[in-house]
Coordinates of all heavy atoms in Angstrom, one line a residue:
M1 N -30.7 41.7 25.7 CA -31.4 40.5 25.5 C -30.9 39.8 24.3 O -30.7 38.6 24.2 CB -32.9 40.8 25.4 CG -33.8 39.6 25.1 SD -33.9 38.6 26.6 CE -35.1 37.4 26.0
D2 N -30.7 40.6 23.2 CA -30.3 40.0 21.9 C -28.8 39.4 22.1 O -28.5 38.4 21.4 CB -30.3 41.0 20.8 CG -31.7 41.4 20.4 OD1 -32.6 40.5 20.6 OD2 -31.9 42.5 19.8
R3 N -28.0 40.1 22.9 CA -26.6 39.5 23.0 C -26.7 38.2 23.8 O -25.8 37.4 23.5 CB -25.8 40.6 23.9 CG -25.3 41.7 23.0 CD -24.3 42.5 23.7 NE -25.1 43.7 24.3 CZ -24.7 44.4 25.3 NH1 -23.6 44.1 25.9 NH2 -25.4 45.4 25.7
H4 N -27.6 38.0 24.7 CA -27.7 36.8 25.4 C -28.2 35.6 24.4 O -27.6 34.5 24.5 CB -28.7 36.9 26.6 CG -28.2 37.8 27.6 ND1 -27.1 37.5 28.4 CD2 -28.7 39.0 28.1 CE1 -27.0 38.5 29.3 NE2 -27.9 39.4 29.1
I5 N -29.1 35.9 23.6 CA -29.6 35.0 22.6 C -28.4 34.6 21.7 O -28.2 33.5 21.3 CB -30.8 35.5 21.9 CG1 -32.0 35.5 22.9 CG2 -31.1 34.5 20.7 CD1 -33.2 36.2 22.3
F6 N -27.7 35.6 21.2 CA -26.6 35.4 20.3 C -25.5 34.6 20.9 O -24.9 33.7 20.4 CB -26.0 36.8 19.8 CG -24.9 36.7 18.9 CD1 -25.1 36.2 17.5 CD2 -23.6 37.0 19.3 CE1 -24.0 36.2 16.7 CE2 -22.5 36.9 18.4 CZ -22.7 36.4 17.1
S7 N -25.2 34.9 22.2 CA -24.2 34.2 22.9 C -24.6 32.7 23.1 O -23.8 31.8 23.0 CB -24.0 34.9 24.3 OG -23.0 34.1 25.1
F8 N -25.9 32.5 23.5 CA -26.4 31.1 23.7 C -26.3 30.4 22.3 O -25.9 29.2 22.3 CB -27.8 31.2 24.2 CG -28.4 29.8 24.4 CD1 -28.0 29.0 25.4 CD2 -29.4 29.4 23.5 CE1 -28.5 27.7 25.5 CE2 -29.9 28.1 23.6 CZ -29.5 27.3 24.7
G9 N -26.7 31.0 21.3 CA -26.7 30.4 19.9 C -25.2 30.0 19.5 O -25.0 29.0 19.0
R10 N -24.3 30.9 19.8 CA -22.9 30.6 19.5 C -22.4 29.5 20.3 O -21.7 28.6 19.8 CB -22.1 31.9 19.7 CG -20.7 31.8 19.3 CD -20.0 33.1 19.5 NE -18.6 32.9 19.3 CZ -17.9 33.6 18.3 NH1 -18.6 34.5 17.6 NH2 -16.7 33.4 18.1
Q11 N -22.8 29.4 21.6 CA -22.3 28.3 22.4 C -22.9 27.0 22.0 O -22.3 26.0 22.0 CB -22.7 28.6 23.9 CG -21.9 29.7 24.6 CD -22.3 29.9 26.0 OE1 -23.4 29.5 26.4 NE2 -21.6 30.8 26.6
M12 N -24.2 27.0 21.6 CA -24.8 25.8 21.0 C -24.1 25.3 19.7 O -23.9 24.1 19.6 CB -26.3 26.0 20.8 CG -27.1 26.1 22.0 SD -27.0 24.6 23.0 CE -27.7 23.4 21.9
L13 N -23.8 26.2 18.9 CA -23.1 25.9 17.6 C -21.7 25.3 17.9 O -21.3 24.3 17.3 CB -23.0 27.0 16.7 CG -24.3 27.5 16.0 CD1 -24.1 28.7 15.1 CD2 -24.8 26.3 15.1
L14 N -21.0 25.9 18.9 CA -19.7 25.4 19.3 C -19.8 24.0 19.9 O -19.0 23.1 19.6 CB -19.1 26.3 20.3 CG -17.6 26.1 20.6 CD1 -16.7 26.2 19.4 CD2 -17.2 27.0 21.7
F15 N -20.8 23.7 20.7 CA -21.1 22.4 21.2 C -21.4 21.4 20.2 O -20.9 20.3 20.2 CB -22.2 22.5 22.3 CG -22.6 21.1 22.8 CD1 -21.8 20.5 23.8 CD2 -23.7 20.5 22.4 CE1 -22.1 19.3 24.3 CE2 -24.1 19.3 22.9 CZ -23.3 18.6 23.8
I16 N -22.2 21.8 19.2 CA -22.6 20.8 18.1 C -21.3 20.5 17.3 O -21.1 19.4 16.9 CB -23.7 21.5 17.3 CG1 -25.0 21.5 18.1 CG2 -23.9 20.7 15.9 CD1 -26.1 22.3 17.4
R17 N -20.5 21.5 17.0 CA -19.3 21.4 16.2 C -18.4 20.4 17.0 O -17.8 19.4 16.3 CB -18.6 22.7 15.9 CG -17.4 22.5 15.1 CD -16.6 23.8 14.9 NE -17.4 24.6 14.1 CZ -17.2 26.0 14.0 NH1 -16.2 26.5 14.6 NH2 -17.9 26.7 13.2
W18 N -18.1 20.6 18.2 CA -17.2 19.7 19.0 C -17.8 18.3 19.1 O -17.1 17.3 19.1 CB -17.0 20.3 20.4 CG -15.9 21.3 20.3 CD1 -16.1 22.6 20.5 CD2 -14.5 21.1 20.0 NE1 -14.9 23.3 20.3 CE2 -13.9 22.4 20.0 CE3 -13.7 20.0 19.7 CZ2 -12.5 22.6 19.8 CZ3 -12.4 20.2 19.4 CH2 -11.8 21.4 19.5
T19 N -19.2 18.2 19.2 CA -19.7 16.9 19.2 C -19.5 16.1 17.9 O -19.2 14.9 17.9 CB -21.3 17.0 19.5 OG1 -21.4 17.7 20.7 CG2 -21.9 15.7 19.6
I20 N -19.6 16.8 16.8 CA -19.5 16.2 15.5 C -18.0 15.8 15.3 O -17.7 14.7 14.9 CB -19.9 17.2 14.3 CG1 -21.4 17.3 14.4 CG2 -19.4 16.7 13.0 CD1 -21.9 18.4 13.4
V21 N -17.1 16.6 15.7 CA -15.6 16.3 15.7 C -15.3 15.1 16.6 O -14.6 14.2 16.2 CB -14.8 17.5 16.1 CG1 -13.3 17.1 16.3 CG2 -14.8 18.6 15.1
A22 N -15.9 15.1 17.7 CA -15.7 13.9 18.7 C -16.3 12.6 18.0 O -15.6 11.6 18.1 CB -16.4 14.1 20.0
L23 N -17.4 12.7 17.4 CA -18.0 11.5 16.8 C -17.1 11.0 15.6 O -16.9 9.8 15.4 CB -19.4 11.8 16.3 CG -20.4 11.8 17.3 CD1 -21.8 12.3 16.8 CD2 -20.6 10.5 18.0
I24 N -16.6 12.0 14.8 CA -15.7 11.6 13.7 C -14.4 11.0 14.2 O -13.9 10.0 13.7 CB -15.5 12.8 12.8 CG1 -16.8 13.1 12.1 CG2 -14.4 12.5 11.8 CD1 -16.7 14.4 11.2
L25 N -13.9 11.6 15.3 CA -12.6 11.0 15.8 C -12.8 9.6 16.4 O -12.0 8.7 16.2 CB -12.1 11.9 17.0 CG -11.3 13.1 16.5 CD1 -10.9 14.0 17.8 CD2 -10.0 12.6 15.8
F26 N -14.0 9.4 17.1 CA -14.3 8.1 17.6 C -14.5 7.1 16.4 O -14.0 6.0 16.5 CB -15.6 8.2 18.4 CG -16.1 6.9 18.9 CD1 -15.4 6.3 20.0 CD2 -17.2 6.2 18.3 CE1 -15.9 5.0 20.5 CE2 -17.6 5.0 18.8 CZ -16.9 4.5 19.9
T27 N -15.2 7.5 15.3 CA -15.3 6.6 14.2 C -14.0 6.3 13.6 O -13.7 5.2 13.2 CB -16.2 7.4 13.1 OG1 -17.4 7.7 13.7 CG2 -16.4 6.5 11.9
L28 N -13.1 7.3 13.5 CA -11.8 7.1 12.9 C -10.9 6.1 13.8 O -10.3 5.2 13.3 CB -11.0 8.4 12.8 CG -9.7 8.4 12.1 CD1 -9.8 7.9 10.7 CD2 -9.0 9.7 12.2
I29 N -11.0 6.3 15.1 CA -10.2 5.4 16.0 C -10.8 4.0 15.9 O -10.0 3.0 15.8 CB -10.3 5.9 17.4 CG1 -9.4 7.2 17.5 CG2 -9.8 4.9 18.5 CD1 -9.6 8.0 18.8
M30 N -12.1 3.8 16.0 CA -12.7 2.5 15.8 C -12.4 1.9 14.5 O -12.2 0.6 14.3 CB -14.2 2.6 16.1 CG -14.6 3.0 17.5 SD -13.8 1.9 18.8 CE -14.7 0.4 18.5
G31 N -12.4 2.7 13.4 CA -12.0 2.2 12.1 C -10.6 1.7 12.0 O -10.3 0.6 11.4
I32 N -9.7 2.4 12.6 CA -8.3 2.0 12.7 C -8.1 0.7 13.4 O -7.4 -0.2 13.0 CB -7.4 3.1 13.2 CG1 -7.3 4.3 12.2 CG2 -6.0 2.6 13.5 CD1 -6.7 5.5 12.7
I33 N -8.8 0.6 14.6 CA -8.7 -0.6 15.4 C -9.3 -1.8 14.6 O -8.8 -2.9 14.5 CB -9.4 -0.4 16.7 CG1 -8.6 0.5 17.6 CG2 -9.6 -1.8 17.5 CD1 -9.4 1.0 18.9
G34 N -10.5 -1.6 14.0 CA -11.1 -2.6 13.2 C -10.3 -3.1 12.0 O -10.1 -4.2 11.7
F35 N -9.6 -2.1 11.3 CA -8.7 -2.4 10.2 C -7.6 -3.3 10.7 O -7.2 -4.2 10.0 CB -8.2 -1.1 9.6 CG -7.3 -1.3 8.4 CD1 -7.8 -1.6 7.2 CD2 -5.9 -1.2 8.6 CE1 -6.9 -1.8 6.1 CE2 -5.1 -1.5 7.6 CZ -5.6 -1.7 6.3
A36 N -7.0 -2.9 11.8 CA -5.8 -3.6 12.3 C -6.2 -5.0 12.7 O -5.4 -6.0 12.4 CB -5.2 -2.9 13.6
T37 N -7.4 -5.3 13.3 CA -7.8 -6.6 13.7 C -8.2 -7.4 12.5 O -8.0 -8.6 12.4 CB -9.0 -6.6 14.7 OG1 -10.0 -5.8 14.1 CG2 -8.6 -6.0 16.0
K38 N -8.8 -6.8 11.5 CA -9.3 -7.5 10.3 C -8.1 -7.9 9.4 O -8.1 -9.0 8.9 CB -10.3 -6.6 9.5 CG -10.9 -7.3 8.3 CD -11.9 -6.4 7.7 CE -12.5 -7.1 6.4 NZ -13.5 -6.2 5.8
W39 N -7.2 -7.0 9.2 CA -6.1 -7.2 8.2 C -4.8 -7.6 8.9 O -3.8 -7.7 8.2 CB -6.0 -6.1 7.3 CG -7.2 -5.8 6.5 CD1 -8.0 -4.7 6.7 CD2 -7.8 -6.5 5.5 NE1 -9.1 -4.8 5.9 CE2 -9.0 -5.9 5.1 CE3 -7.4 -7.7 4.9 CZ2 -9.8 -6.4 4.1 CZ3 -8.2 -8.2 3.9 CH2 -9.4 -7.5 3.5
G40 N -4.8 -7.7 10.2 CA -3.5 -8.1 10.9 C -3.0 -9.4 10.6 O -1.8 -9.7 10.8
E41 N -3.8 -10.3 10.1 CA -3.4 -11.7 9.7 C -2.4 -11.7 8.6 O -1.7 -12.7 8.4 CB -4.6 -12.6 9.4 CG -5.4 -12.2 8.2 CD -6.7 -13.0 8.0 OE1 -7.4 -13.2 8.9 OE2 -6.8 -13.5 6.9
F42 N -2.4 -10.6 7.8 CA -1.5 -10.5 6.7 C 0.0 -10.5 7.2 O 0.9 -10.9 6.5 CB -1.6 -9.3 5.8 CG -2.9 -9.4 5.0 CD1 -3.5 -8.2 4.6 CD2 -3.4 -10.6 4.5 CE1 -4.6 -8.3 3.8 CE2 -4.5 -10.7 3.8 CZ -5.1 -9.5 3.4
L43 N 0.2 -10.2 8.4 CA 1.6 -10.2 8.9 C 2.1 -11.7 9.1 O 3.3 -11.9 8.9 CB 1.6 -9.6 10.3 CG 1.4 -8.1 10.4 CD1 1.3 -7.6 11.8 CD2 2.4 -7.3 9.6
F44 N 1.1 -12.5 9.3 CA 1.5 -14.0 9.4 C 1.3 -14.8 8.2 O 1.9 -15.8 8.0 CB 0.8 -14.6 10.6 CG 1.0 -13.9 11.9 CD1 -0.1 -13.1 12.5 CD2 2.2 -13.9 12.5 CE1 0.1 -12.4 13.6 CE2 2.4 -13.2 13.7 CZ 1.3 -12.5 14.2
H45 N 0.4 -14.3 7.3 CA 0.1 -15.0 6.0 C 0.0 -14.0 4.9 O -1.0 -13.6 4.4 CB -1.3 -15.7 6.1 CG -1.4 -16.6 7.3 ND1 -0.8 -17.8 7.4 CD2 -2.1 -16.5 8.5 CE1 -1.1 -18.4 8.5 NE2 -1.9 -17.7 9.2
P46 N 1.2 -13.6 4.5 CA 1.3 -12.5 3.4 C 0.7 -13.0 2.1 O 0.4 -12.2 1.2 CB 2.8 -12.2 3.3 CG 3.5 -13.2 4.0 CD 2.5 -13.9 4.9
E47 N 0.6 -14.3 1.9 CA 0.0 -14.8 0.6 C -1.4 -14.5 0.5 O -1.9 -14.5 -0.7 CB 0.2 -16.3 0.5 CG -0.5 -17.1 1.5 CD 0.2 -17.3 2.8 OE1 1.3 -16.8 3.0 OE2 -0.3 -18.0 3.7
L48 N -2.1 -14.2 1.5 CA -3.5 -13.7 1.5 C -3.7 -12.3 0.9 O -4.8 -12.0 0.5 CB -4.1 -13.9 2.8 CG -4.3 -15.3 3.5 CD1 -4.8 -15.1 4.9 CD2 -5.1 -16.2 2.6
F49 N -2.6 -11.6 0.9 CA -2.7 -10.2 0.4 C -3.2 -10.1 -1.0 O -4.1 -9.2 -1.2 CB -1.3 -9.5 0.6 CG -1.3 -8.1 0.2 CD1 -1.9 -7.1 1.0 CD2 -0.9 -7.7 -1.1 CE1 -1.9 -5.8 0.6 CE2 -0.8 -6.4 -1.5 CZ -1.4 -5.4 -0.6
S50 N -2.8 -10.9 -1.9 CA -3.2 -10.8 -3.3 C -4.6 -11.2 -3.5 O -5.3 -10.6 -4.4 CB -2.3 -11.7 -4.2 OG -2.4 -13.0 -3.8
T51 N -5.2 -12.1 -2.7 CA -6.6 -12.5 -2.8 C -7.5 -11.5 -2.2 O -8.7 -11.4 -2.6 CB -6.8 -13.9 -2.2 OG1 -6.5 -13.8 -0.8 CG2 -6.0 -14.9 -2.9
N52 N -7.1 -10.7 -1.2 CA -8.0 -9.8 -0.5 C -7.6 -8.3 -0.8 O -7.9 -7.5 0.0 CB -7.9 -10.0 1.0 CG -8.5 -11.4 1.3 OD1 -9.5 -11.8 0.7 ND2 -7.9 -12.1 2.2
Y53 N -6.9 -8.1 -1.9 CA -6.4 -6.7 -2.1 C -7.5 -5.7 -2.2 O -7.4 -4.6 -1.7 CB -5.5 -6.7 -3.4 CG -5.0 -5.4 -3.8 CD1 -3.9 -4.8 -3.0 CD2 -5.5 -4.6 -4.8 CE1 -3.5 -3.5 -3.3 CE2 -5.1 -3.4 -5.1 CZ -4.0 -2.9 -4.4 OH -3.5 -1.6 -4.7
R54 N -8.6 -6.0 -3.0 CA -9.6 -5.1 -3.2 C -10.4 -4.7 -1.9 O -10.6 -3.5 -1.7 CB -10.7 -5.7 -4.2 CG -11.7 -4.7 -4.5 CD -12.7 -5.3 -5.6 NE -13.7 -4.4 -5.8 CZ -14.1 -3.9 -7.0 NH1 -13.3 -4.3 -8.0 NH2 -15.0 -3.1 -7.2
G55 N -10.6 -5.6 -1.0 CA -11.2 -5.3 0.2 C -10.4 -4.5 1.1 O -10.8 -3.6 1.8
M56 N -9.1 -4.7 1.1 CA -8.1 -4.0 1.8 C -8.1 -2.5 1.4 O -8.1 -1.5 2.2 CB -6.7 -4.5 1.8 CG -5.8 -3.8 2.7 SD -4.1 -4.5 2.5 CE -3.7 -4.8 4.1
T57 N -8.0 -2.3 0.1 CA -8.0 -0.9 -0.4 C -9.3 -0.2 -0.2 O -9.3 1.0 0.1 CB -7.7 -0.9 -2.0 OG1 -8.7 -1.8 -2.6 CG2 -6.3 -1.4 -2.3
E58 N -10.4 -0.9 -0.2 CA -11.7 -0.3 0.1 C -11.7 0.2 1.6 O -12.2 1.3 2.0 CB -12.9 -1.2 -0.1 CG -13.1 -1.4 -1.6 CD -14.2 -2.5 -1.9 OE1 -14.7 -3.0 -0.9 OE2 -14.5 -2.7 -3.0
D59 N -11.1 -0.6 2.5 CA -11.1 -0.3 3.9 C -10.1 1.0 4.1 O -10.5 1.8 4.9 CB -10.7 -1.4 4.8 CG -11.7 -2.5 4.9 OD1 -12.9 -2.2 4.5 OD2 -11.4 -3.6 5.4
I60 N -9.0 0.9 3.4 CA -8.1 2.1 3.5 C -8.8 3.3 3.0 O -8.7 4.4 3.6 CB -6.8 1.8 2.8 CG1 -6.0 0.7 3.5 CG2 -5.9 3.0 2.6 CD1 -4.8 0.2 2.7
F61 N -9.5 3.2 1.9 CA -10.2 4.4 1.3 C -11.3 4.9 2.3 O -11.4 6.1 2.5 CB -10.8 4.0 0.0 CG -11.6 5.2 -0.6 CD1 -10.9 6.3 -1.1 CD2 -13.0 5.2 -0.6 CE1 -11.6 7.3 -1.7 CE2 -13.7 6.2 -1.1 CZ -13.0 7.3 -1.6
S62 N -11.9 4.0 3.0 CA -12.9 4.5 4.0 C -12.3 5.2 5.1 O -12.8 6.3 5.5 CB -13.7 3.2 4.5 OG -14.4 2.7 3.5
L63 N -11.2 4.7 5.6 CA -10.4 5.4 6.7 C -10.0 6.8 6.2 O -10.1 7.8 7.0 CB -9.3 4.6 7.2 CG -9.6 3.4 8.0 CD1 -8.5 2.5 8.3 CD2 -10.4 3.7 9.3
L64 N -9.4 6.9 5.0 CA -9.0 8.1 4.5 C -10.1 9.2 4.3 O -10.0 10.4 4.5 CB -8.2 8.0 3.2 CG -6.9 7.3 3.3 CD1 -6.2 7.1 1.9 CD2 -5.9 8.2 4.1
L65 N -11.2 8.6 3.9 CA -12.4 9.5 3.7 C -12.8 10.1 5.1 O -13.1 11.3 5.1 CB -13.5 8.7 3.1 CG -14.8 9.5 2.8 CD1 -14.6 10.5 1.7 CD2 -15.9 8.5 2.3
V66 N -12.9 9.3 6.1 CA -13.2 9.8 7.4 C -12.2 10.9 7.9 O -12.5 11.9 8.4 CB -13.4 8.7 8.5 CG1 -13.5 9.2 9.9 CG2 -14.5 7.8 8.1
Y67 N -10.9 10.6 7.7 CA -9.9 11.5 8.0 C -10.0 12.8 7.2 O -9.9 13.9 7.8 CB -8.5 10.9 7.8 CG -7.4 11.9 8.1 CD1 -7.1 12.2 9.5 CD2 -6.7 12.6 7.1 CE1 -6.1 13.1 9.7 CE2 -5.8 13.5 7.4 CZ -5.5 13.8 8.7 OH -4.5 14.7 9.0
E68 N -10.3 12.8 6.0 CA -10.5 14.0 5.2 C -11.7 14.8 5.7 O -11.7 16.0 5.6 CB -10.6 13.6 3.7 CG -9.3 13.2 3.1 CD -8.3 14.3 3.1 OE1 -8.6 15.5 2.9 OE2 -7.1 13.9 3.3
I69 N -12.8 14.2 6.0 CA -13.9 14.9 6.6 C -13.5 15.6 7.9 O -13.8 16.8 8.0 CB -15.1 13.9 6.8 CG1 -15.7 13.4 5.5 CG2 -16.2 14.5 7.6 CD1 -16.7 12.3 5.6
L70 N -12.7 14.9 8.7 CA -12.2 15.5 10.0 C -11.4 16.8 9.6 O -11.5 17.9 10.2 CB -11.5 14.6 10.8 CG -10.9 15.1 12.1 CD1 -12.0 15.5 13.0 CD2 -10.0 14.0 12.7
D71 N -10.5 16.6 8.6 CA -9.6 17.7 8.2 C -10.4 18.9 7.6 O -10.1 20.0 7.8 CB -8.6 17.2 7.2 CG -7.5 18.2 7.0 OD1 -7.0 18.8 7.9 OD2 -7.1 18.3 5.8
L72 N -11.4 18.6 6.8 CA -12.3 19.6 6.3 C -13.0 20.4 7.4 O -13.0 21.6 7.4 CB -13.4 19.0 5.4 CG -14.3 19.9 4.8 CD1 -13.6 20.8 3.8 CD2 -15.4 19.1 4.1
I73 N -13.5 19.7 8.5 CA -14.1 20.4 9.6 C -13.1 21.3 10.3 O -13.3 22.4 10.7 CB -14.7 19.4 10.5 CG1 -16.0 18.8 9.8 CG2 -15.2 20.1 11.8 CD1 -16.6 17.8 10.6
R74 N -11.8 20.8 10.5 CA -10.9 21.6 11.2 C -10.4 22.8 10.3 O -10.3 23.9 10.9 CB -9.6 20.7 11.5 CG -9.8 19.8 12.6 CD -8.5 19.1 13.0 NE -7.5 19.0 12.0 CZ -6.6 18.1 12.0 NH1 -6.5 17.2 12.9 NH2 -5.7 18.1 11.0
S75 N -10.3 22.7 9.0 CA -9.9 23.8 8.2 C -11.1 24.8 8.1 O -10.8 26.0 8.1 CB -9.5 23.3 6.8 OG -10.6 22.7 6.1
Y76 N -12.3 24.3 8.1 CA -13.4 25.3 8.1 C -13.5 26.1 9.4 O -13.8 27.2 9.4 CB -14.7 24.5 8.0 CG -16.0 25.4 8.1 CD1 -16.2 26.3 7.0 CD2 -16.8 25.4 9.2 CE1 -17.3 27.1 7.1 CE2 -17.8 26.2 9.3 CZ -18.2 27.1 8.2 OH -19.2 27.9 8.3
R77 N -13.1 25.4 10.5 CA -13.0 26.1 11.8 C -12.0 27.3 11.8 O -12.2 28.3 12.4 CB -12.8 25.1 13.0 CG -12.9 25.7 14.3 CD -12.8 24.8 15.5 NE -11.6 24.0 15.4 CZ -11.5 22.7 15.6 NH1 -12.6 22.0 15.8 NH2 -10.3 22.1 15.5
R78 N -10.9 27.0 11.1 CA -9.9 28.1 11.0 C -10.3 29.3 10.2 O -10.0 30.4 10.5 CB -8.6 27.5 10.4 CG -7.8 26.7 11.5 CD -6.4 26.3 10.8 NE -6.4 24.8 11.1 CZ -6.0 24.0 10.2 NH1 -5.7 24.4 8.9 NH2 -5.9 22.7 10.4
I79 N -11.1 29.0 9.2 CA -11.6 30.1 8.3 C -12.7 30.9 9.0 O -12.7 32.1 9.0 CB -12.1 29.5 7.0 CG1 -11.0 28.8 6.2 CG2 -12.8 30.6 6.2 CD1 -11.4 28.1 5.0
A80 N -13.6 30.2 9.6 CA -14.8 30.9 10.2 C -14.5 31.5 11.5 O -13.6 31.4 12.2 CB -16.0 29.9 10.4

C-alpha cells in the first residue's frame, strides 16, 4: 500500500515539474516572439535604438531571467 502511495506521489511531482517546465518554455517562446515584434522596427529605423535603449535592455534582461529559471529547474532535475 505504501509503495502505491509513494509511486503516485512521485508521478504527481513529476507531472507538476513537467507542467512548470512547459509553462516556462511557453513564456520564453512568447517573450521571444513579443521581443521580435516590438523591437523589430530597429532593423528599418536604427536611429530609434538610442532613444529606446533602456526599454530594450529591460526586455532582454526579462528574457534572460526566464531562461535562467528554466536552466535552474533543469539543473535541479539532474541533481535530484
Side-chain angles (χ1 to χ4, degrees):
M1 178 73 174
D2 288 337
R3 280 189 265 160
H4 295 294
I5 293 173
F6 180 73
S7 175
F8 178 73
R10 186 177 174 118
Q11 289 176 351
M12 285 301 296
L13 286 176
L14 189 62
F15 175 75
I16 291 170
R17 181 184 292 167
W18 280 110
T19 303
I20 291 171
V21 168
L23 286 173
I24 292 173
L25 276 174
F26 178 73
T27 303
L28 185 62
I29 290 169
M30 293 305 291
I32 290 171
I33 292 170
F35 180 82
T37 57
K38 182 176 180 181
W39 300 109
E41 66 186 47
F42 286 153
L43 294 173
F44 304 110
H45 304 288
E47 65 274 1
L48 296 175
F49 180 76
S50 62
T51 59
N52 296 320
Y53 178 74
R54 184 176 178 125
M56 182 186 235
T57 55
E58 289 175 359
D59 288 347
I60 290 172
F61 178 74
S62 297
L63 288 173
L64 287 175
L65 182 64
V66 172
Y67 177 75
E68 287 297 322
I69 290 171
L70 179 65
D71 191 42
L72 179 67
I73 289 173
R74 285 191 332 207
S75 65
Y76 176 71
R77 186 174 57 224
R78 280 186 232 132
I79 293 171

